[in-house]
């Protein structure tokens, strides 16, 4: 074991209680998808910690979204730097922390956002602190934390900031939810959220039904047509997840709305996906109705590039050398901001955060020991970059 690696690992081991304490502190900060003040509070806390490590940091503020934290430790070197990526918002509703406070039982931590993804951010911060304590100065270390990932950056330009801030870096580690089966994510589908609205003609359901034009009936035809667009061979799936319409059973409804979730592998497929939905909207099943389509928001796919796979091999080597198990390259349907670091030309691996399961649910949990293991894993990956 190299001297720097040994010192960094010793630092992590010596600060286990401190890491868990910070984990509990930030999980206890309410930062659900619409809790802007809470997200900003988390951002302020992480900024405070990184500033004490000598980081040049700043917060990018948005009117309707939580702040984004950008921090860099160390001056730019001849060798390009390393990025740690994450998000500070959770998918938990307001009040979740009161119902499910941070708790550890039998080596498992529970609480809103404990896995997705406050634990991963704590691991990344302590990997940076450990590297610094060990005297590492070969590359600058950058942190990019979004405040609105769970709502697909609907009210910010965070994707553009990710791409701009990542350009020219050697590698990125996204501390998204880690998997208990040791899968390391090398590819993710993109997510597109699209709204379709139908306007019809209202009428009394008893006295004047023949003059009504049901928006719900029209939408029912369109929902079936949208679902049939799914193409498993291309890895494109369509899901109508929300439907709204009508006011009372005694009236022919003059309005209906659906939200469509689309998952896709190739960034170039998005224009055609939107056109397919627009074609469904343009076909009229109930005469006298009309439909419109609005692209709401989304996250681009994380492409599996040669650079991504080369970085995965470094992770695999570090994993096995340190007795953490044997990881495998995993591709998943959920989106993440790794898409944007890859689009910036930066090799990226995702799901490097603490391991656990049931995120986005009241049963969310994380394995406590993985908090320390993942910090050490990232330390060794950064050190191994210098041996290539």
């Amino acid at each position: 074991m190299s001297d720097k690696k040994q010192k960094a690992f010793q630092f992590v081991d010596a600060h286990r209680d401190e890491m868990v304490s910070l984990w509990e502190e930030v999980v206890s900060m309410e930062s659900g998808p619409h809790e802007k003040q809470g997200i900003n509070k988390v951002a302020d806390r992480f900024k405070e910690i990184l500033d004490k490590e000598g980081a040049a940091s700043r917060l990018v503020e948005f009117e309707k979204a939580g702040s984004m934290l950008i921090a860099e430790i160390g001056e730019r070197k001849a060798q390009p730097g390393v990025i740690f990526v994450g998000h500070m918002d959770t998918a938990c509703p307001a009040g979740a922390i009161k119902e499910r406070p941070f708790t550890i039982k039998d080596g498992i931590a529970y609480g809103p956002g404990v896995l997705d993804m406050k634990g991963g951010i704590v691991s990344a911060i302590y990997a940076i602190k450990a590297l610094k304590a060990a005297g590492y100065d070969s590359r600058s270390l950058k942190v990019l934390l979004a405040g609105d990932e769970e709502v697909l950056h609907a009210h910010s330009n965070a994707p553009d900031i990710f791409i701009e801030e990542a350009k020219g870096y050697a590698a990125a580690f996204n501390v998204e939810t880690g998997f208990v089966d040791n899968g390391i994510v090398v590819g993710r589908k993109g997510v597109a959220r699209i709204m379709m609205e139908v306007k019809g003609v209202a009428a009394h359901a008893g006295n004047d039904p023949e003059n009504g034009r049901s928006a719900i009936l029209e939408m029912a035809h369109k929902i079936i047509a949208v679902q049939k667009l799914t193409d498993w061979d291309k890895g494109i799936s369509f899901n109508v997840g929300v439907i709204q319409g009508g006011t009372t059973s005694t009236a022919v409804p003059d309005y209906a709305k659906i939200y469509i979730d689309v998952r896709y592998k190739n960034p170039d497929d998005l224009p055609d996906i939107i056109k397919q939905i627009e074609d469904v909207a343009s076909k009229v099943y109930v005469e006298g109705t009309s439909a419109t389509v609005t692209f709401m928001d989304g996250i681009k796919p994380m492409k599996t590039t040669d650079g991504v796979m080369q970085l995965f091999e470094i992770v695999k080597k570090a994993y096995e050398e340190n007795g953490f198990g044997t990881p495998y390259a995993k591709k998943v349907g959920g989106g993440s901001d790794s898409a944007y670091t890859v689009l910036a030309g930066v090799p990226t691996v995702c799901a490097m955060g603490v391991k656990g399961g049931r995120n986005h649910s009241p049963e969310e949990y994380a394995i406590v020991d993985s908090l320390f293991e993942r910090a050490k894993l990232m330390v060794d990956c950064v050190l191994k970059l210098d041996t290539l």
Side-chain angles (χ1 to χ4, degrees), residues 312-371:
F312 168 76
E313 289 301 321
I314 292 174
V315 175
K316 186 172 185 289
K317 186 177 181 181
Y319 224 105
E320 293 174 340
E321 283 183 5
N322 292 293
F324 298 151
T326 301
Y328 71 97
K330 187 182 186 83
K331 295 182 180 180
V332 297
S336 88
D337 290 322
S338 294
Y340 303 114
T341 49
V342 173
L343 283 172
V346 181
T348 304
V349 287
C350 199
M352 291 285 285
V354 294
K355 296 190 288 185
R358 301 294 295 158
N359 52 319
H360 291 210
S361 85
E363 293 79 37
E364 180 176 7
Y365 72 92
I367 300 169
V368 174
D369 280 348
S370 69
L371 184 74

Side-chain angles (χ1 to χ4, degrees), residues 65-271:
S67 296
M68 183 173 184
L69 174 60
I70 301 170
E72 189 161 18
I73 294 176
E75 295 181 0
R76 296 287 179 91
K77 308 287 183 178
Q79 296 190 94
V82 178
I83 306 172
F84 299 88
V85 178
H87 65 83
M88 299 169 289
D89 57 323
T90 74
C92 306
I97 190 62
K98 292 181 181 179
E99 297 177 6
R100 297 183 288 119
F102 181 90
T103 306
I104 293 178
K105 183 179 181 181
D106 298 328
I108 305 294
Y110 302 91
V114 69
L115 174 67
D116 188 11
M117 55 182 293
K118 290 176 178 176
I121 298 173
V122 172
S123 290
I125 286 175
Y126 273 82
I128 292 169
K129 289 166 74 78
L131 285 164
K132 190 168 180 291
Y136 177 84
D137 63 355
S138 298
R139 303 172 188 267
S140 62
L141 304 174
K142 193 170 196 174
V143 176
L144 298 176
L145 301 178
D148 63 341
E149 189 267 357
E150 295 292 3
V151 292
L152 309 181
H153 307 302
H155 302 294
S156 79
N157 66 330
D160 296 333
I161 296 173
F162 272 116
I163 292 172
E164 189 60 34
E165 291 290 334
K167 287 178 181 176
Y169 282 75
F173 300 99
N174 190 323
V175 288
E176 271 284 3
T177 298
F179 293 91
V180 294
D181 66 355
N182 293 318
I184 299 295
V185 172
V186 298
R188 289 181 178 272
K189 287 186 177 182
V191 185
R193 193 166 68 102
I194 298 167
M195 178 177 69
M196 184 186 295
E197 297 172 284
V198 169
K199 292 183 178 180
V201 178
H204 193 290
N207 296 336
D208 194 28
E210 64 274 16
N211 288 319
R213 300 292 182 266
S214 173
I216 288 179
L217 177 57
E218 175 69 14
M219 188 65 86
H221 287 285
K222 294 184 186 302
I223 288 171
I224 294 170
V226 167
Q227 295 284 167
K228 285 183 177 180
L229 295 174
T230 292
D231 188 330
W232 299 118
D233 292 336
K234 289 185 177 180
I236 304 174
S237 61
F238 293 74
N239 178 63
V240 178
V242 175
I243 179 169
Q244 299 170 344
T247 55
T248 174
S249 63
T250 60
V252 176
D254 64 354
Y255 179 78
K257 174 171 68 175
I258 59 173
Y259 287 102
I260 307 162
D261 177 286
V262 186
R263 306 287 167 139
Y264 61 105
K265 291 182 178 179
N266 189 336
D268 297 333
D269 286 339
L270 184 57

